[in-house]
Amino acid sequence: MRETSGTADVRGWRDAAERALYGPGGFYRRPEGPAGHFRTSVHASPLFAAAVAALLCRVDAALGRPAVLDFVDVGAGRGELTRGVLAALPADVAGRTRACAVEIADRPEGLDARIEWRAEPPEAVDGLLFANEWLDNVPVDVAEVDRAGVPRLVLVAPDGTERLGEPVTGAEADWLARWWPLAAEEGLRAEIGLPRDRAWAAAVSRVQRGLAVAVDYAHTLGTRPPFGTLTGFRAGRETAPVPDGTCDITAHVALDACAAAGSGHGTPRLLTQREALRALDITGARPPLALATTDPAAYVRALAGAGAAAELTAPGGLGDFGWLLQPAGLPEPPL
């Protein structure tokens, strides 16, 4: 715990991160966008967008190939995933797809005119709502156990120094008790994921028929980290989380809690990214060596694709991301 003197502009982590990320001049309003500071699966390889396009095609088939098929990209950055999905879709599906990018930042110049740009998801979605690394940037409060064994809110100043505030009470205390119980040991920390549960439930409620998917750094009840995961990213490197607008502020997501919050809209399913992408035929398997003799150019292309797929599915890396799938109007996720 880094102590700060005085009380000027000291607030809970949720309020501080909200202002630092999304307020005037906040991190997510900067012109370089998220890609200027960290690399997601979307930036790692076009294979990721191709896999999402394949999932959208499966949703399309499950819905009986409707005249209008929605694809909603929540936390769209600068529209990279939406563009990639449209480019990867078969022509007949792309012609029926209504693409919507949801992002608080302004619409990027030169973005495909087919893509609608919104600050909130549409009220009604028939198709696929996909949120890649969105929930980890929904700000949350942080709790820390004091010397008496009581979880208290962590307060933070703009320079990142912290001190303990009031005990956690009410709905936040109930959430901790259910989803991240803290032993009475000084210094243990937790991120209170209630705002993410509510954000996810609200997003899922927009899907009338189809599938909602959240992909993120994740943990579940049996694997909560004892000191939390709050961190920052700046210029491609992990850094201390400082709520001054100069870095990303993120924390892993309790996806099991989000799943329960949205379960009234469909039965959820939790997978790793490795499992999900393999189900969408992104395996990382090397091409047969014989292809190098019969078609060297095709072998080189296939080898490059295998390398990209291996990165997206790698244990200890992107492959360990969590995928939360919640269907609406479908008996199960089409995966």
Side-chain angles (χ1 to χ4, degrees):
M1 172 65 63
R2 296 172 295 164
E3 292 289 345
T4 181
S5 59
T7 59
D9 210 16
V10 176
R11 58 187 69 201
W13 264 109
R14 181 184 178 190
D15 287 345
E18 183 76 33
R19 183 177 63 172
L21 295 177
Y22 306 114
F27 177 82
Y28 276 96
R29 297 184 184 274
R30 294 166 65 98
E32 70 271 20
H37 294 270
F38 52 85
R39 189 167 180 258
T40 71
S41 297
V42 177
H43 308 123
S45 169
L47 282 178
F48 188 79
V52 177
L55 180 57
L56 179 59
C57 288
R58 294 192 187 187
V59 172
D60 180 45
L63 294 178
R65 296 179 172 82
V68 177
L69 176 68
D70 289 316
F71 175 67
V72 180
D73 178 10
V74 182
R78 296 300 180 265
E80 299 95 336
L81 178 61
T82 316
R83 291 198 305 266
V85 168
L86 285 176
L89 287 173
D92 66 307
V93 180
R96 293 184 286 109
T97 296
R98 180 168 56 193
C100 175
V102 179
E103 181 58 66
I104 196 169
D106 293 336
R107 181 186 180 95
E109 293 184 8
L111 186 68
D112 191 324
R114 294 176 296 172
I115 300 173
E116 181 185 7
W117 193 265
R118 300 171 55 108
E120 296 286 341
E123 290 294 330
V125 176
D126 291 318
L128 175 62
L129 182 146
F130 199 89
N132 184 61
E133 295 196 45
W134 168 56
L135 287 172
D136 69 301
N137 285 126
V138 173
V140 292
D141 275 314
V142 178
E144 181 174 320
V145 179
D146 68 10
R147 292 180 181 178
V150 177
R152 293 179 175 271
L153 289 176
V154 177
L155 307 181
V156 63
D159 65 358
T161 55
E162 297 177 333
R163 67 176 175 84
L164 294 184
E166 295 298 316
V168 180
T169 59
E172 288 76 15
D174 293 341
W175 189 93
L176 279 181
R178 179 180 179 187
W179 293 110
W180 199 327
L182 289 168
E185 180 181 336
E186 184 181 6
L188 294 182
R189 287 169 68 118
E191 291 109 24
I192 305 172
L194 187 60
R196 294 169 173 177
D197 294 358
R198 290 170 174 167
W200 180 243
V204 172
S205 72
R206 309 282 181 108
V207 183
Q208 295 184 328
R209 297 176 65 242
L211 181 67
V213 179
V215 180
D216 235 310
Y217 298 97
H219 45 63
T220 54
L221 188 57
T223 61
R224 305 283 191 237
F227 303 106
T229 61
L230 188 73
T231 191
F233 284 94
R234 182 189 296 114
R237 294 187 177 185
E238 189 170 2
T239 185
V242 178
D244 62 359
T246 65
C247 68
D248 186 26
I249 298 171
T250 179
H252 294 197
V253 182
L255 271 186
D256 49 350
C258 293
S263 62
H265 307 286
T267 303
R269 185 179 180 191
L270 282 169
L271 301 171
T272 64
Q273 177 155 295
R274 180 167 53 258
E275 294 168 331
L277 291 186
R278 285 178 174 173
L280 293 165
D281 300 322
I282 306 295
T283 65
R286 293 171 63 90
L289 190 59
L291 185 62
T293 302
T294 59
D295 192 340
Y299 177 78
V300 170
R301 290 194 299 271
L303 194 62
E311 180 182 5
L312 290 172
T313 59
L318 295 176
D320 289 345
F321 268 52
W323 280 49
L324 167 58
L325 299 93
Q326 292 197 272
L330 299 176
E332 61 182 16
L335 186 64

